[in-house]
Amino acid sequence: NLINEKLRYKIILTRRPWIIKGTWKYNDTAYGLKFGFNINPGNVKNDNGYDCVIGIESRILKSKIELIDEAVESWRYELGRDNFHRELLSRKNDRIVYIYSYGDGVPFSGMEAVYMNRGFIHILRVICHNDMKEKVFGEIKKSVEDLILID
């Protein structure tokens, strides 16, 4: 499990995560966490990389966002235009989850989720090679959809 007490979320993982990077930025109003894990039991953390990499970006807002669509729009403005093809996986009042692929044939795909709680917004992105897509999605889908937001 990964818990961020200051940003008030918890993600329950079934595989051991390997932290790649975690850093505060923008005068302590933003935090980025990147970690990877391997699906195949024979793979351990090594120089060959990971089967899947997950990034969680968080922002501490000065004002509260009321609707999940506002949180999605905020992230789109910050991250800029992309060429992802998104397919809606699930939607609740405090989160929206997509499966995405690249529109230009890049052989990677993933999951993207936007969450909001209190004065925080978070975006989570999972990325993996298309050859690993079914295994990775089967492993991580529940963790992404059920990320715990602590009020």
Side-chain angles (χ1 to χ4, degrees):
N1 297 343
L2 290 175
I3 300 169
N4 189 319
E5 291 178 351
K6 183 168 184 180
L7 296 171
R8 311 184 68 74
Y9 68 79
K10 174 181 176 180
I11 185 166
I12 299 170
L13 302 166
T14 58
R15 302 281 177 175
R16 179 172 187 228
W18 297 90
I19 304 299
I20 298 168
K21 185 176 183 180
T23 186
W24 282 98
K25 35 189 152 175
Y26 308 132
N27 295 318
D28 290 337
T29 62
Y31 186 78
L33 174 67
K34 187 179 352 177
F35 59 95
F37 66 84
N38 289 308
I39 303 273
N40 297 321
N43 289 351
V44 293
K45 181 181 177 247
N46 56 40
D47 294 335
N48 296 327
Y50 305 95
D51 294 333
C52 167
V53 173
I54 300 172
I56 304 173
E57 282 287 324
S58 301
R59 300 294 179 263
I60 302 170
L61 305 175
K62 291 180 181 177
S63 59
K64 186 177 178 183
I65 287 181
E66 299 293 331
L67 302 171
I68 191 63
D69 291 330
E70 292 176 79
V72 170
E73 185 176 335
S74 177
W75 282 113
R76 297 288 176 254
Y77 281 127
E78 181 171 340
L79 298 175
R81 186 181 170 118
D82 61 48
N83 68 343
F84 292 160
H85 169 73
R86 290 177 175 84
E87 177 184 326
L88 182 64
L89 187 60
S90 66
R91 181 185 181 102
K92 295 181 181 176
N93 289 339
D94 64 351
R95 68 194 64 212
I96 189 163
V97 181
Y98 302 97
I99 292 175
Y100 72 87
S101 58
Y102 287 85
D104 57 3
V106 174
F108 291 90
S109 54
M111 297 179 82
E112 177 184 76
V114 175
Y115 311 92
M116 62 176 211
N117 65 322
R118 293 193 183 190
F120 305 102
I121 58 172
H122 316 278
I123 187 167
L124 179 149
R125 281 194 179 152
V126 177
I127 188 166
C128 64
H129 194 278
N130 286 341
D131 292 344
M132 295 292 299
K133 178 179 164 179
E134 297 305 318
K135 286 183 181 179
V136 167
F137 287 8
E139 187 75 32
I140 198 70
K141 179 180 177 239
K142 183 168 176 43
S143 298
V144 171
E145 288 185 309
D146 294 344
L147 182 131
I148 299 166
L149 299 168
I150 304 162
D151 279 333

